Amino acid sequence: SQELEQSPQSLIVQEGKNLTINCTSSKTLYGLYWYKQKYGEGLIFLMMLQKGGEEKSHEKITAKLDEKKQQSSLHITASQPSHAGIYLCGADLPGAGSYQLTFGKGTKLSVIP
Amino acid sequence: NAGVMQNPRHLVRRRGQEARLRCSPMKGHSHVYWYRQLPEEGLKFMVYLQKENIIDESGMPKERFSAEFPKEGPSILRIQQVVRGDSAAYFCASSPNSGSPYNEQFFGPGTRLTVL
């Protein structure tokens, strides 16, 4: 089974709408990383969360890590076509090398103008 | 400051040939990681290297795959006798240091390998 589950797998929203992407682990995370990937390109680092209850924002994107450090959400406010892409969560998980990021399968976001 | 560079961006090989993928980390980064992204799957860790050392290759297939990060020059991921199942996007990442809690890895654009 997948160690990091992302939901939804894909999402289509109208421009201007808000949306939320979730990332869940059965294990307590040491660190949680959000990346964005455009088709045919590499991963763009968005945010890193480490402490339970931590919340970070950058422009219209907010990421939160729950108190138990097992679930994170990525919220986009007033979505724009430039937000379209694949959002990946990656994590330091116990049992793996601390340098080893484990990734979810990604959430494909489409924003309709 | 240039980011992580990978070349080639696209590579086509016939079954049985060798594939060499190159990765130049960001300036000042001495830790390199290789990941593979198979179609419809998430990124999977393959190997972690520091200069002249393989630290962890637990994610590498046991045969045909090897990686190096020499004292001078880029890191190389080498796949011998490629098979169709090797077709994937291979990403390299680098970091200035490693380990929790600060493990921010910067990714390159990837090399898309297609095996005919």
Side-chain angles (χ1 to χ4, degrees), chain A residues 60-94:
Chain A
K60 295 185 178 179
I61 301 176
T62 300
K64 300 178 185 179
L65 183 62
D66 73 337
E67 289 289 344
K68 286 186 177 180
K69 295 176 66 176
Q70 288 185 287
Q71 184 170 12
S72 178
S73 61
L74 188 80
H75 184 77
I76 299 177
T77 305
S79 58
Q80 299 170 353
S82 61
H83 288 127
I86 299 171
Y87 289 81
L88 295 165
C89 64
D92 286 331
L93 291 176

mmCIF file of all heavy atoms in Angstrom, chain A residues 60-94:
data_model
loop_
_atom_site.group_PDB
_atom_site.id
_atom_site.type_symbol
_atom_site.label_atom_id
_atom_site.label_comp_id
_atom_site.label_asym_id
_atom_site.label_seq_id
_atom_site.Cartn_x
_atom_site.Cartn_y
_atom_site.Cartn_z
ATOM 1 N N LYS A 60 -0.898 32.786 -2.638
ATOM 2 C CA LYS A 60 -2.258 32.292 -2.409
ATOM 3 C C LYS A 60 -2.300 30.826 -1.974
ATOM 4 O O LYS A 60 -3.359 30.202 -1.971
ATOM 5 C CB LYS A 60 -3.090 32.475 -3.672
ATOM 6 C CG LYS A 60 -3.302 33.937 -4.033
ATOM 7 C CD LYS A 60 -4.216 34.093 -5.208
ATOM 8 C CE LYS A 60 -4.455 35.561 -5.508
ATOM 9 N NZ LYS A 60 -5.340 35.751 -6.671
ATOM 10 N N ILE A 61 -1.154 30.289 -1.601
ATOM 11 C CA ILE A 61 -1.089 28.882 -1.225
ATOM 12 C C ILE A 61 -0.749 28.771 0.257
ATOM 13 O O ILE A 61 0.214 29.376 0.721
ATOM 14 C CB ILE A 61 -0.037 28.134 -2.060
ATOM 15 C CG1 ILE A 61 -0.383 28.242 -3.547
ATOM 16 C CG2 ILE A 61 0.054 26.688 -1.620
ATOM 17 C CD1 ILE A 61 0.643 27.609 -4.462
ATOM 18 N N THR A 62 -1.556 27.983 0.967
ATOM 19 C CA THR A 62 -1.349 27.751 2.404
ATOM 20 C C THR A 62 -1.248 26.257 2.657
ATOM 21 O O THR A 62 -2.082 25.487 2.167
ATOM 22 C CB THR A 62 -2.521 28.317 3.232
ATOM 23 O OG1 THR A 62 -2.623 29.718 2.999
ATOM 24 C CG2 THR A 62 -2.307 28.069 4.712
ATOM 25 N N ALA A 63 -0.241 25.858 3.409
ATOM 26 C CA ALA A 63 -0.078 24.454 3.767
ATOM 27 C C ALA A 63 -0.114 24.313 5.282
ATOM 28 O O ALA A 63 0.408 25.169 6.007
ATOM 29 C CB ALA A 63 1.247 23.904 3.229
ATOM 30 N N LYS A 64 -0.760 23.243 5.729
ATOM 31 C CA LYS A 64 -0.874 22.986 7.162
ATOM 32 C C LYS A 64 -0.451 21.553 7.467
ATOM 33 O O LYS A 64 -0.649 20.647 6.653
ATOM 34 C CB LYS A 64 -2.325 23.168 7.630
ATOM 35 C CG LYS A 64 -2.894 24.536 7.399
ATOM 36 C CD LYS A 64 -4.354 24.578 7.867
ATOM 37 C CE LYS A 64 -5.001 25.916 7.539
ATOM 38 N NZ LYS A 64 -6.416 25.968 7.964
ATOM 39 N N LEU A 65 0.079 21.369 8.649
ATOM 40 C CA LEU A 65 0.419 20.025 9.132
ATOM 41 C C LEU A 65 -0.331 19.825 10.436
ATOM 42 O O LEU A 65 -0.270 20.683 11.332
ATOM 43 C CB LEU A 65 1.924 19.908 9.350
ATOM 44 C CG LEU A 65 2.464 18.551 9.782
ATOM 45 C CD1 LEU A 65 2.186 17.477 8.732
ATOM 46 C CD2 LEU A 65 3.965 18.629 10.054
ATOM 47 N N ASP A 66 -1.049 18.714 10.559
ATOM 48 C CA ASP A 66 -1.865 18.534 11.764
ATOM 49 C C ASP A 66 -0.983 18.267 12.988
ATOM 50 O O ASP A 66 0.217 18.024 12.885
ATOM 51 C CB ASP A 66 -2.886 17.419 11.557
ATOM 52 C CG ASP A 66 -2.270 16.031 11.565
ATOM 53 O OD1 ASP A 66 -1.056 15.910 11.288
ATOM 54 O OD2 ASP A 66 -2.983 15.056 11.843
ATOM 55 N N GLU A 67 -1.636 18.318 14.151
ATOM 56 C CA GLU A 67 -0.887 18.190 15.409
ATOM 57 C C GLU A 67 -0.184 16.836 15.531
ATOM 58 O O GLU A 67 0.897 16.733 16.097
ATOM 59 C CB GLU A 67 -1.832 18.369 16.595
ATOM 60 C CG GLU A 67 -2.341 19.794 16.787
ATOM 61 C CD GLU A 67 -1.264 20.738 17.290
ATOM 62 O OE1 GLU A 67 -0.221 20.264 17.778
ATOM 63 O OE2 GLU A 67 -1.459 21.966 17.197
ATOM 64 N N LYS A 68 -0.823 15.810 14.982
ATOM 65 C CA LYS A 68 -0.240 14.463 15.066
ATOM 66 C C LYS A 68 0.873 14.256 14.034
ATOM 67 O O LYS A 68 1.544 13.221 14.053
ATOM 68 C CB LYS A 68 -1.321 13.410 14.825
ATOM 69 C CG LYS A 68 -2.283 13.215 15.974
ATOM 70 C CD LYS A 68 -3.202 12.042 15.666
ATOM 71 C CE LYS A 68 -4.140 11.749 16.817
ATOM 72 N NZ LYS A 68 -5.031 10.601 16.515
ATOM 73 N N LYS A 69 1.012 15.191 13.126
ATOM 74 C CA LYS A 69 2.018 15.104 12.049
ATOM 75 C C LYS A 69 1.792 13.876 11.186
ATOM 76 O O LYS A 69 2.729 13.147 10.844
ATOM 77 C CB LYS A 69 3.437 15.112 12.641
ATOM 78 C CG LYS A 69 3.771 16.420 13.337
ATOM 79 C CD LYS A 69 5.133 16.380 13.996
ATOM 80 C CE LYS A 69 6.250 16.269 13.007
ATOM 81 N NZ LYS A 69 7.586 16.324 13.653
ATOM 82 N N GLN A 70 0.514 13.633 10.861
ATOM 83 C CA GLN A 70 0.200 12.533 9.966
ATOM 84 C C GLN A 70 -0.603 12.993 8.755
ATOM 85 O O GLN A 70 -0.811 12.215 7.833
ATOM 86 C CB GLN A 70 -0.591 11.440 10.708
ATOM 87 C CG GLN A 70 0.263 10.652 11.694
ATOM 88 C CD GLN A 70 -0.497 9.514 12.314
ATOM 89 O OE1 GLN A 70 -1.367 9.740 13.161
ATOM 90 N NE2 GLN A 70 -0.187 8.307 11.920
ATOM 91 N N GLN A 71 -1.035 14.214 8.774
ATOM 92 C CA GLN A 71 -1.837 14.708 7.678
ATOM 93 C C GLN A 71 -1.491 16.158 7.379
ATOM 94 O O GLN A 71 -1.309 16.970 8.286
ATOM 95 C CB GLN A 71 -3.322 14.594 8.016
ATOM 96 C CG GLN A 71 -4.233 14.994 6.873
ATOM 97 C CD GLN A 71 -5.677 14.644 7.134
ATOM 98 O OE1 GLN A 71 -6.051 14.304 8.243
ATOM 99 N NE2 GLN A 71 -6.502 14.734 6.099
ATOM 100 N N SER A 72 -1.438 16.455 6.081
ATOM 101 C CA SER A 72 -1.193 17.819 5.654
ATOM 102 C C SER A 72 -2.203 18.198 4.583
ATOM 103 O O SER A 72 -2.693 17.345 3.832
ATOM 104 C CB SER A 72 0.226 17.968 5.091
ATOM 105 O OG SER A 72 0.462 19.287 4.640
ATOM 106 N N SER A 73 -2.521 19.464 4.538
ATOM 107 C CA SER A 73 -3.410 19.956 3.496
ATOM 108 C C SER A 73 -2.750 21.150 2.810
ATOM 109 O O SER A 73 -1.987 21.901 3.420
ATOM 110 C CB SER A 73 -4.765 20.366 4.082
ATOM 111 O OG SER A 73 -4.586 21.404 5.032
ATOM 112 N N LEU A 74 -3.049 21.278 1.546
ATOM 113 C CA LEU A 74 -2.579 22.401 0.734
ATOM 114 C C LEU A 74 -3.809 23.107 0.215
ATOM 115 O O LEU A 74 -4.646 22.499 -0.460
ATOM 116 C CB LEU A 74 -1.713 21.908 -0.431
ATOM 117 C CG LEU A 74 -1.013 22.997 -1.239
ATOM 118 C CD1 LEU A 74 0.231 23.454 -0.502
ATOM 119 C CD2 LEU A 74 -0.653 22.497 -2.625
ATOM 120 N N HIS A 75 -3.929 24.367 0.550
ATOM 121 C CA HIS A 75 -5.125 25.127 0.179
ATOM 122 C C HIS A 75 -4.728 26.256 -0.769
ATOM 123 O O HIS A 75 -3.787 27.007 -0.484
ATOM 124 C CB HIS A 75 -5.781 25.691 1.441
ATOM 125 C CG HIS A 75 -7.064 26.392 1.179
ATOM 126 N ND1 HIS A 75 -8.240 25.732 0.943
ATOM 127 C CD2 HIS A 75 -7.344 27.714 1.108
ATOM 128 C CE1 HIS A 75 -9.209 26.611 0.732
ATOM 129 N NE2 HIS A 75 -8.692 27.819 0.836
ATOM 130 N N ILE A 76 -5.445 26.348 -1.877
ATOM 131 C CA ILE A 76 -5.210 27.438 -2.828
ATOM 132 C C ILE A 76 -6.440 28.330 -2.845
ATOM 133 O O ILE A 76 -7.574 27.853 -3.057
ATOM 134 C CB ILE A 76 -4.912 26.903 -4.247
ATOM 135 C CG1 ILE A 76 -3.648 26.035 -4.215
ATOM 136 C CG2 ILE A 76 -4.733 28.063 -5.225
ATOM 137 C CD1 ILE A 76 -3.288 25.397 -5.556
ATOM 138 N N THR A 77 -6.220 29.579 -2.644
ATOM 139 C CA THR A 77 -7.300 30.558 -2.618
ATOM 140 C C THR A 77 -7.375 31.275 -3.964
ATOM 141 O O THR A 77 -6.346 31.652 -4.523
ATOM 142 C CB THR A 77 -7.043 31.593 -1.508
ATOM 143 O OG1 THR A 77 -6.868 30.916 -0.268
ATOM 144 C CG2 THR A 77 -8.187 32.574 -1.388
ATOM 145 N N ALA A 78 -8.600 31.444 -4.452
ATOM 146 C CA ALA A 78 -8.814 32.177 -5.718
ATOM 147 C C ALA A 78 -7.889 31.650 -6.812
ATOM 148 O O ALA A 78 -7.013 32.366 -7.315
ATOM 149 C CB ALA A 78 -8.625 33.674 -5.499
ATOM 150 N N SER A 79 -8.086 30.404 -7.187
ATOM 151 C CA SER A 79 -7.184 29.726 -8.125
ATOM 152 C C SER A 79 -7.077 30.461 -9.455
ATOM 153 O O SER A 79 -8.018 31.131 -9.917
ATOM 154 C CB SER A 79 -7.674 28.297 -8.357
ATOM 155 O OG SER A 79 -8.986 28.304 -8.859
ATOM 156 N N GLN A 80 -5.912 30.315 -10.061
ATOM 157 C CA GLN A 80 -5.630 30.913 -11.366
ATOM 158 C C GLN A 80 -5.090 29.829 -12.294
ATOM 159 O O GLN A 80 -4.584 28.812 -11.827
ATOM 160 C CB GLN A 80 -4.570 32.011 -11.200
ATOM 161 C CG GLN A 80 -4.988 33.137 -10.290
ATOM 162 C CD GLN A 80 -3.827 34.060 -9.960
ATOM 163 O OE1 GLN A 80 -2.678 33.785 -10.304
ATOM 164 N NE2 GLN A 80 -4.127 35.145 -9.291
ATOM 165 N N PRO A 81 -5.156 30.051 -13.600
ATOM 166 C CA PRO A 81 -4.610 29.050 -14.538
ATOM 167 C C PRO A 81 -3.150 28.717 -14.253
ATOM 168 O O PRO A 81 -2.709 27.594 -14.502
ATOM 169 C CB PRO A 81 -4.786 29.741 -15.897
ATOM 170 C CG PRO A 81 -5.984 30.603 -15.716
ATOM 171 C CD PRO A 81 -5.888 31.125 -14.302
ATOM 172 N N SER A 82 -2.404 29.656 -13.710
ATOM 173 C CA SER A 82 -0.994 29.403 -13.404
ATOM 174 C C SER A 82 -0.808 28.395 -12.283
ATOM 175 O O SER A 82 0.286 27.861 -12.083
ATOM 176 C CB SER A 82 -0.284 30.710 -13.032
ATOM 177 O OG SER A 82 -0.879 31.280 -11.878
ATOM 178 N N HIS A 83 -1.873 28.111 -11.549
ATOM 179 C CA HIS A 83 -1.790 27.108 -10.474
ATOM 180 C C HIS A 83 -1.906 25.683 -11.016
ATOM 181 O O HIS A 83 -1.639 24.729 -10.288
ATOM 182 C CB HIS A 83 -2.900 27.328 -9.439
ATOM 183 C CG HIS A 83 -2.691 28.530 -8.580
ATOM 184 N ND1 HIS A 83 -3.649 29.511 -8.418
ATOM 185 C CD2 HIS A 83 -1.625 28.911 -7.829
ATOM 186 C CE1 HIS A 83 -3.176 30.444 -7.595
ATOM 187 N NE2 HIS A 83 -1.952 30.115 -7.226
ATOM 188 N N ALA A 84 -2.278 25.546 -12.266
ATOM 189 C CA ALA A 84 -2.457 24.206 -12.822
ATOM 190 C C ALA A 84 -1.153 23.429 -12.824
ATOM 191 O O ALA A 84 -0.083 23.978 -13.052
ATOM 192 C CB ALA A 84 -2.997 24.314 -14.245
ATOM 193 N N GLY A 85 -1.250 22.147 -12.554
ATOM 194 C CA GLY A 85 -0.076 21.283 -12.524
ATOM 195 C C GLY A 85 -0.349 20.095 -11.625
ATOM 196 O O GLY A 85 -1.479 19.846 -11.215
ATOM 197 N N ILE A 86 0.713 19.374 -11.321
ATOM 198 C CA ILE A 86 0.598 18.218 -10.427
ATOM 199 C C ILE A 86 1.243 18.582 -9.098
ATOM 200 O O ILE A 86 2.406 19.005 -9.056
ATOM 201 C CB ILE A 86 1.290 16.985 -11.033
ATOM 202 C CG1 ILE A 86 0.627 16.612 -12.359
ATOM 203 C CG2 ILE A 86 1.224 15.807 -10.063
ATOM 204 C CD1 ILE A 86 1.367 15.555 -13.141
ATOM 205 N N TYR A 87 0.503 18.425 -8.027
ATOM 206 C CA TYR A 87 1.004 18.739 -6.697
ATOM 207 C C TYR A 87 1.393 17.442 -6.004
ATOM 208 O O TYR A 87 0.604 16.506 -5.908
ATOM 209 C CB TYR A 87 -0.047 19.512 -5.900
ATOM 210 C CG TYR A 87 -0.212 20.924 -6.427
ATOM 211 C CD1 TYR A 87 -0.999 21.174 -7.545
ATOM 212 C CD2 TYR A 87 0.466 21.988 -5.840
ATOM 213 C CE1 TYR A 87 -1.115 22.460 -8.064
ATOM 214 C CE2 TYR A 87 0.347 23.278 -6.346
ATOM 215 C CZ TYR A 87 -0.442 23.501 -7.458
ATOM 216 O OH TYR A 87 -0.548 24.777 -7.972
ATOM 217 N N LEU A 88 2.619 17.440 -5.525
ATOM 218 C CA LEU A 88 3.156 16.245 -4.870
ATOM 219 C C LEU A 88 3.503 16.557 -3.425
ATOM 220 O O LEU A 88 4.106 17.597 -3.137
ATOM 221 C CB LEU A 88 4.437 15.778 -5.573
ATOM 222 C CG LEU A 88 4.301 15.299 -7.013
ATOM 223 C CD1 LEU A 88 5.656 15.216 -7.680
ATOM 224 C CD2 LEU A 88 3.652 13.922 -7.039
ATOM 225 N N CYS A 89 3.112 15.639 -2.535
ATOM 226 C CA CYS A 89 3.621 15.759 -1.176
ATOM 227 C C CYS A 89 4.723 14.722 -1.001
ATOM 228 O O CYS A 89 4.655 13.625 -1.537
ATOM 229 C CB CYS A 89 2.520 15.594 -0.133
ATOM 230 S SG CYS A 89 1.716 13.980 -0.071
ATOM 231 N N GLY A 90 5.757 15.102 -0.291
ATOM 232 C CA GLY A 90 6.864 14.204 0.004
ATOM 233 C C GLY A 90 7.140 14.273 1.495
ATOM 234 O O GLY A 90 6.880 15.300 2.123
ATOM 235 N N ALA A 91 7.647 13.191 2.055
ATOM 236 C CA ALA A 91 7.836 13.169 3.501
ATOM 237 C C ALA A 91 9.056 12.379 3.913
ATOM 238 O O ALA A 91 9.461 11.426 3.228
ATOM 239 C CB ALA A 91 6.593 12.568 4.176
ATOM 240 N N ASP A 92 9.641 12.819 5.018
ATOM 241 C CA ASP A 92 10.601 12.002 5.763
ATOM 242 C C ASP A 92 9.773 11.066 6.603
ATOM 243 O O ASP A 92 9.020 11.514 7.474
ATOM 244 C CB ASP A 92 11.429 12.868 6.728
ATOM 245 C CG ASP A 92 12.455 13.694 6.010
ATOM 246 O OD1 ASP A 92 12.923 13.258 4.954
ATOM 247 O OD2 ASP A 92 12.794 14.769 6.523
ATOM 248 N N LEU A 93 9.892 9.770 6.357
ATOM 249 C CA LEU A 93 9.128 8.802 7.114
ATOM 250 C C LEU A 93 10.043 7.975 8.002
ATOM 251 O O LEU A 93 11.176 7.678 7.611
ATOM 252 C CB LEU A 93 8.359 7.860 6.176
ATOM 253 C CG LEU A 93 7.212 8.463 5.372
ATOM 254 C CD1 LEU A 93 6.637 7.426 4.424
ATOM 255 C CD2 LEU A 93 6.130 8.975 6.307
ATOM 256 N N PRO A 94 9.554 7.580 9.170
ATOM 257 C CA PRO A 94 10.374 6.693 10.001
ATOM 258 C C PRO A 94 10.593 5.362 9.298
ATOM 259 O O PRO A 94 9.729 4.871 8.588
ATOM 260 C CB PRO A 94 9.512 6.518 11.263
ATOM 261 C CG PRO A 94 8.137 6.905 10.870
ATOM 262 C CD PRO A 94 8.262 7.900 9.779
#
